[in-house]
Amino acid sequence: MSFGPRFLKSLSQNWWVLYWIVAIILFFFDIQWGILALVVFVAIVVFQIFLKRRKKASISRNLLGIEKIDERSLARLAGAYIEETHAFLHDVSRNPDSTGIAILVKGEYIYFSNAVVKKFKQLYKEGKNTKELLEEMPQFETREEVKKMLEKLKEFDELPSRKKEGEEEKGPEEASADESEVQPAKKGPARWTHPALGIVIAIIAVVTLLAASVSLNNGTLETVTDYAAYHAWLEEISNATGYGMLVLLVALVFSLASRRKVMAIALCGSALIALAIVLYINDFRPYSDVVPFGSAEEALQAFKGLVGTLEALAITAAALGVVVELYRLKTHSR
């Protein structure tokens, strides 16, 4: 494949990188256009995730009542592309579906229902070796399928202990073979959707919003009655909040990709509040020039009260999402 087609294919697969670059450039030239571009990006991502989940639900419905099926047969049954069923069963292989488990055999995923897996585990617990498993379970056609299922169950910590008498009956060659079969599958590199990435980025967003709050608190009567100081102060708060929202949206994308619903909801709420702050400062604040000296004290306190409350809400929402996800990660790691 020549450079041109390769480049176009890579660009179509990673369009979001170019979009982010354009959005960030817009952000520096005009914060409102940058925010609009980022909001549109998040809307596109959310819509894609919705379509993907809907397609997965459609494919999953076709597995009801099926003991075993490969990805090509599933594609024909569900009326989907092979790439879609391959991706669906890939997800099932990493996080078992409520109805069964998928294993990868010679580059193709094969799905087994929970009923089949349950019987497989029972026979293995009774001490059956690979040959006996193949004889008693017609769903498994090759030694490779048995081996991959053993690896998958070991990976999920679902492989039962074998009966001692069953192990004693086997010869040394069979015992050695079984030991190699149940070795855990090698895990690949961490996915970019790892929840820790979203948590770290969300913490950066919280720090940025805290910086905006500090800038807000630095405003004085002299600030709001001087044109240059007033607008520099407003721009400082608006930019810090806008940068915080930018980071929140990045964290939101990682949270959605990692299926961290609680954190995604919290970050979405925080980003919307940050957007409201930026729009208020740039478009809807009462005084577009400077605050009249006679009402400066009252106007300053009202502005600080409103924007400070919104900043606090945005920080609290994001921080709450981070705390919840940290607790969940700690709980699941035990």
Side-chain angles (χ1 to χ4, degrees):
M1 186 183 292
S2 62
F3 173 77
R6 263 202 325 267
F7 174 76
L8 292 175
K9 182 179 180 181
S10 177
L11 187 62
S12 65
Q13 293 175 342
N14 301 283
W15 62 270
W16 56 274
V17 176
L18 180 61
Y19 192 101
W20 269 107
I21 294 173
V22 172
I24 292 172
I25 292 173
L26 284 173
F27 197 91
F28 283 105
F29 277 99
D30 189 319
I31 191 170
Q32 295 186 60
W33 280 106
I35 289 172
L36 179 61
L38 293 172
V39 170
V40 170
F41 173 78
V42 172
I44 292 172
V45 171
V46 171
F47 183 67
Q48 286 185 330
I49 292 174
F50 169 77
L51 290 180
K52 187 178 179 181
R53 295 281 178 85
R54 187 176 180 184
K55 190 64 180 180
K56 283 185 175 182
S58 175
I59 295 174
S60 182
R61 284 195 294 269
N62 288 277
L63 294 174
L64 297 176
I66 292 178
E67 291 188 338
K68 174 187 178 182
I69 191 169
D70 60 75
E71 61 184 46
R72 293 180 181 275
S73 300
L74 180 59
R76 289 193 294 270
L77 181 64
Y81 293 108
I82 294 177
E83 293 80 5
E84 292 175 332
T85 55
H86 182 89
F88 170 80
L89 293 178
H90 170 74
D91 289 343
V92 173
S93 73
R94 297 178 67 92
N95 301 291
D97 185 78
S98 59
T99 59
I101 288 179
I103 59 174
L104 184 65
V105 180
K106 295 181 179 178
E108 184 177 38
Y109 281 105
I110 302 174
Y111 176 88
F112 294 90
S113 69
N114 276 339
V116 174
V117 175
K118 183 178 180 181
K119 183 179 178 182
F120 180 93
K121 290 160 67 175
Q122 180 60 38
L123 292 175
Y124 177 83
K125 184 177 181 180
E126 293 173 3
K128 304 293 184 182
N129 58 31
T130 300
K131 181 179 178 181
E132 292 170 327
L133 286 168
L134 287 170
E135 290 175 351
E136 298 194 32
M137 298 200 68
Q139 297 88 354
F140 290 85
E141 300 175 10
T142 65
R143 296 179 66 88
E144 183 71 10
E145 291 180 1
V146 174
K147 177 182 177 181
K148 293 295 183 180
M149 180 58 73
L150 289 168
E151 290 177 352
K152 187 59 62 177
L153 292 174
K154 181 72 174 180
E155 180 183 340
F156 297 144
D157 294 325
E158 293 185 12
L159 194 65
S161 300
R162 298 169 72 89
K163 290 185 177 180
K164 291 184 178 180
E165 57 269 25
E167 291 181 350
E168 292 171 356
E169 291 173 359
K170 294 186 300 179
E173 293 183 0
E174 289 180 343
S176 176
D178 282 335
E179 286 176 4
S180 65
E181 286 171 346
V182 299
Q183 291 298 316
K186 294 182 179 179
K187 295 185 179 180
R191 298 173 65 192
W192 71 273
T193 56
H194 194 282
L197 290 174
I199 292 174
V200 171
I201 296 171
I203 291 173
I204 296 173
V206 171
V207 172
T208 308
L209 292 175
L210 285 171
S213 299
V214 172
S215 298
L216 173 68
N217 193 55
N218 289 336
T220 63
L221 287 176
E222 290 76 12
T223 302
V224 298
T225 54
D226 178 82
Y227 180 84
Y230 180 53
H231 285 274
W233 178 58
L234 292 174
E235 185 176 1
E236 186 178 352
I237 302 169
S238 176
N239 285 346
T241 305
Y243 295 145
M245 194 200 72
L246 170 64
V247 181
L248 283 169
L249 291 176
V250 176
L252 174 61
V253 171
F254 277 89
S255 299
L256 290 171
S258 302
R259 299 180 182 179
R260 300 285 162 173
K261 295 180 181 179
V262 174
M263 187 171 176
I265 293 172
L267 294 179
C268 184
S270 181
L272 288 175
I273 295 171
L275 174 61
I277 294 171
V278 173
L279 292 177
Y280 174 74
I281 294 174
N282 287 279
D283 296 308
F284 301 112
R285 68 179 188 275
Y287 301 101
S288 58
D289 192 2
V290 293
V291 180
F293 188 79
S295 57
E297 177 68 29
E298 182 181 348
L300 177 63
Q301 295 306 319
F303 181 83
K304 281 187 173 182
L306 175 59
V307 176
T309 301
L310 292 176
E311 293 281 6
L313 288 173
I315 292 169
T316 302
L320 183 62
V322 169
V323 170
V324 170
E325 289 306 326
L326 285 174
Y327 174 76
R328 292 178 64 185
L329 284 176
K330 182 179 179 180
T331 303
H332 291 166
S333 64
R334 290 177 180 175

